Amino acid sequence: MSSSLLTQAEYERTAAMLRGRRIQRVVYYPLMGGDDGCDVEEWDFGTWHQPTMGVELFTDCGACFSAVWGSSFDHFGLEVFPEPMTAHLRLIGQPGGSAAVDVTDHPRWSGLVGRKVTRVDIAWSSDSASGLPTPNAVRLCSREEVVWIAVASPAEWPPAEVYHLGTDDVMVVFTAEFAAKVGIPSVGTGHGSGS
């Protein structure tokens, strides 16, 4: 993963840029494996998705945002940049790299795609050894839907009941119940850029 260092203020400004825009396209970047390195890993688990390397959001004004895992905040966190995934990932579409999977038409995204993002909240954590706040998740809200993009993964494979927050995997969560199970703090426990 290649990413630039971020500050908390820059991060909050970038997340706030999503507010008021309409998401027109969503692309996941799950890993590829198997004997030839070209099999796309499973990513759709119903109430959550595991696009491991990141999520790319395209908006109605032509802007592109990438949500990736990184360590700019001294611990694995969710980093959001106003640029395409090609600025952060190598080997896209190549054996052993990441696949670009368009999920725009996936039913779980239907309440957010094409609708105005009315609120963006950041779930910050200060669990790292340095005590610096680390962004663990971003919550995107429209009037119809709430979607969390987080750094999280199952504790074991196949996924069971335990999940870890603050990992080097990107997870997308579609229900408040599952967000709580993963450990994503509810709104009001950290800084946000909502209104």
Side-chain angles (χ1 to χ4, degrees):
M1 183 69 55
S2 167
S3 61
S4 314
L5 290 177
L6 287 170
T7 66
Q8 186 172 345
E10 288 170 329
Y11 191 96
E12 290 179 346
R13 276 193 303 273
T14 298
M17 289 169 62
L18 284 160
R19 194 172 56 242
R21 299 185 188 205
R22 294 179 191 276
I23 294 173
Q24 299 292 2
R25 186 171 172 230
V26 181
V27 179
Y28 286 170
Y29 288 85
L31 292 173
M32 295 191 303
D35 292 339
D36 61 1
C38 294
D39 296 334
V40 177
E41 289 187 354
E42 186 176 359
W43 53 265
D44 188 345
F45 298 92
T47 57
W48 63 282
H49 293 167
Q50 189 87 53
T52 306
M53 299 306 288
V55 177
E56 195 170 40
L57 304 170
F58 297 85
T59 67
D60 55 344
C61 64
C64 178
F65 293 84
S66 295
V68 300
W69 61 268
S71 56
S72 288
F73 295 90
D74 195 44
H75 188 72
F76 288 131
L78 181 74
E79 301 185 356
V80 179
F81 297 95
E83 56 197 17
M85 288 294 284
T86 53
H88 304 279
L89 292 180
R90 296 174 186 33
L91 303 177
I92 296 173
Q94 297 179 32
S98 297
V101 179
D102 193 316
V103 296
T104 306
D105 294 330
H106 192 285
R108 287 289 184 174
W109 280 95
S110 65
L112 199 58
V113 169
R115 292 173 170 83
K116 188 181 288 189
V117 175
T118 57
R119 185 175 176 100
V120 179
D121 296 295
I122 304 166
W124 293 95
S125 167
S126 7
D127 295 337
S128 66
S130 70
L132 294 173
T134 301
N136 280 330
V138 170
R139 185 178 81 153
L140 304 174
C141 306
S142 71
R143 289 181 186 212
E144 296 80 12
E145 189 70 65
V146 174
V147 174
W148 291 259
I149 302 174
V151 284
S153 64
E156 56 192 24
W157 204 260
E161 294 297 315
V162 179
Y163 298 84
H164 294 297
L165 193 61
T167 67
D168 60 348
D169 298 278
V170 174
M171 177 184 279
V172 179
V173 177
F174 297 99
T175 68
E177 295 78 19
F178 196 82
K181 185 175 194 172
V182 171
I184 300 170
S186 59
V187 176
T189 60
H191 304 304
S193 55
S195 55

